[in-house]
Amino acid sequence: MDLTLLYRGPLASCDYDCPYCPFAKRRDTPAQLRADRAALARFSAWAAANTEDRLSVLFTPWGEGLVRSWYRRTLTELSHLPHVRRVAIQTNLSCRTAWTADADRDTLALWCTYHPGQVPYERFLAKCRALYDGGVRFSVGIVGLPAHLPDARRLRADLPEPVYLWVNAAEGHGYTDAEAAGWTALDPLFPYSRRPHPSRGLPCRTGESVVSVDGDGTVRRCHFVPAELGNLYDGSYRAALRPRACPRAVCDCHIGYVHLESLPLYDVFAGGVLERVPAPAPGTRDAPTPVVGRVGASGPDGSVRRGRAGEGPPARQGAVPQTSEPAE
């Protein structure tokens, strides 16, 4: 089967301290870092051995993973496995980029976020250009706070044109139509992020072809639903995989709502769901598919589109600062 895994181990330390970050922040002790390293090694060994499935893996650490050598090594190793379709990670891109030369760049991808005030602009841009020149597949994003709009415009102007710049709606921030239009001019898909998506009772790929895994191997349908489906390492999760409706009233995080079958995002991001890279618009090579009209529970134009889009099975018909040891 095609199986997508969202892995989040115990790592929580980050070299940035963004005031808007919803993730946990702590100083990981050497013992905690060793535990994270061991948990990642166990997961990587499982992924290497599980050759009966076609795997796609997105690492979504609470902290910054790529400043740790074991994350860089794991992504590199997994990228070369023939049954791994994609291996990606969310990152602030504070790490070196030369390591990507050792990875299979047909499989590796990066979901990068620019955080104004945490890194010099030219340093971040230089790393993006190095990734682009090296043939690494990646997207770049920014949090849509009003103070970030000039930085976002500058970034869009300076990034290579084919690189998708996404904008996340800031948590707790409402947008007037005029404000939203400014962000949509930079990211045609911003309307999907602008408001939470009603999701209760709607079909979602999580729990069937997409699962969340923690450092102990506990499997849940996604990061936002605490109910356990079993454990990765004893195989008990397999019997629990089945079509499921979302139990939450709304879904407001991209790594969650992208898997809702009531949204057309598996088509919008065909081939790039994990790394948030849209499919080229019809008649173009690199531009993202534009959003037209109002965003509702079913899509920007009210329609429901279904089907295979690069990751996951076909949709079902009728379903709706700080380190405690050296970073390297």
Side-chain angles (χ1 to χ4, degrees), residues 179-236:
E179 289 172 331
W183 291 110
T184 304
L186 297 172
D187 174 11
L189 304 179
F190 176 71
Y192 285 108
S193 180
R194 181 182 176 186
R195 296 188 181 96
H197 296 276
S199 57
R200 179 169 289 147
L202 296 178
C204 183
R205 296 170 178 88
T206 62
E208 181 185 11
S209 61
V210 181
V211 295
S212 168
V213 182
D214 69 16
D216 294 325
T218 301
V219 175
R220 299 173 174 85
R221 62 176 301 169
C222 73
H223 290 329
F224 314 106
V225 178
E228 299 180 6
L229 302 183
N231 191 276
L232 191 72
Y233 303 123
D234 65 12
S236 57

Side-chain angles (χ1 to χ4, degrees), residues 3 7 12 28 47 55 62 86 116 139 147 155 167 204 217 264 285 308 321:
L3 184 63
Y7 177 86
D28 285 331
L55 302 179
W62 287 117
R86 179 78 77 229
S139 65
L155 193 58
V167 178
C204 183
R285 292 182 57 195
R308 177 71 173 274

Side-chain angles (χ1 to χ4, degrees), residues 115-283:
H115 299 283
Q118 300 292 314
V119 59
Y121 175 81
E122 292 297 343
R123 181 186 301 171
F124 181 86
L125 183 64
K127 291 183 178 182
C128 292
R129 287 173 171 163
L131 292 177
Y132 185 77
D133 291 343
V136 178
R137 184 175 174 85
F138 69 105
S139 65
V140 176
I142 193 168
V143 175
L145 289 168
H148 290 177
L149 186 56
D151 298 289
R153 286 173 171 160
R154 183 184 183 191
L155 193 58
R156 178 63 280 169
D158 290 342
L159 282 172
E161 185 176 354
V163 175
Y164 172 51
L165 176 69
W166 49 264
V167 178
N168 267 357
E171 186 173 3
H173 182 79
Y175 295 85
T176 66
D177 288 345
E179 289 172 331
W183 291 110
T184 304
L186 297 172
D187 174 11
L189 304 179
F190 176 71
Y192 285 108
S193 180
R194 181 182 176 186
R195 296 188 181 96
H197 296 276
S199 57
R200 179 169 289 147
L202 296 178
C204 183
R205 296 170 178 88
T206 62
E208 181 185 11
S209 61
V210 181
V211 295
S212 168
V213 182
D214 69 16
D216 294 325
T218 301
V219 175
R220 299 173 174 85
R221 62 176 301 169
C222 73
H223 290 329
F224 314 106
V225 178
E228 299 180 6
L229 302 183
N231 191 276
L232 191 72
Y233 303 123
D234 65 12
S236 57
Y237 75 98
R238 300 285 295 201
L241 298 181
R242 63 176 183 270
R244 296 172 185 274
C246 182
R248 293 173 56 90
V250 297
C251 189
D252 63 356
C253 182
H254 180 89
I255 59 174
Y257 65 69
V258 72
H259 304 295
L260 281 171
E261 293 193 36
S262 53
L263 294 175
L265 295 179
Y266 265 47
D267 292 329
V268 172
F269 290 94
V273 168
L274 294 191
E275 63 271 27
R276 203 170 180 173
V277 172

Side-chain angles (χ1 to χ4, degrees), residues 23-206:
F23 289 171
K25 290 295 181 66
R26 72 169 189 236
R27 181 183 296 274
D28 285 331
T29 66
Q32 288 169 327
L33 292 172
R34 286 193 294 270
D36 180 73
R37 186 171 188 165
L40 184 62
R42 187 184 186 192
F43 174 78
S44 178
W46 176 89
N50 187 37
T51 57
E52 69 267 27
D53 294 324
R54 291 177 297 275
L55 302 179
S56 299
V57 181
L58 173 62
F59 294 99
T60 62
W62 287 117
E64 174 54 38
L66 289 183
V67 296
R68 306 297 177 184
S69 61
W70 51 95
Y71 280 89
R72 300 193 300 271
R73 181 171 59 253
T74 296
L75 267 76
T76 299
E77 292 173 351
L78 291 181
S79 76
H80 289 287
L81 298 178
H83 64 288
V84 173
R85 302 174 64 181
R86 179 78 77 229
V87 58
I89 190 170
Q90 295 178 317
T91 176
N92 63 24
L93 206 57
S94 62
C95 67
R96 298 172 299 175
T97 60
W99 66 274
T100 60
D102 295 327
D104 184 335
R105 279 158 284 179
D106 289 331
T107 305
L108 176 72
L110 304 180
W111 165 325
C112 308
T113 306
Y114 173 54
H115 299 283
Q118 300 292 314
V119 59
Y121 175 81
E122 292 297 343
R123 181 186 301 171
F124 181 86
L125 183 64
K127 291 183 178 182
C128 292
R129 287 173 171 163
L131 292 177
Y132 185 77
D133 291 343
V136 178
R137 184 175 174 85
F138 69 105
S139 65
V140 176
I142 193 168
V143 175
L145 289 168
H148 290 177
L149 186 56
D151 298 289
R153 286 173 171 160
R154 183 184 183 191
L155 193 58
R156 178 63 280 169
D158 290 342
L159 282 172
E161 185 176 354
V163 175
Y164 172 51
L165 176 69
W166 49 264
V167 178
N168 267 357
E171 186 173 3
H173 182 79
Y175 295 85
T176 66
D177 288 345
E179 289 172 331
W183 291 110
T184 304
L186 297 172
D187 174 11
L189 304 179
F190 176 71
Y192 285 108
S193 180
R194 181 182 176 186
R195 296 188 181 96
H197 296 276
S199 57
R200 179 169 289 147
L202 296 178
C204 183
R205 296 170 178 88
T206 62

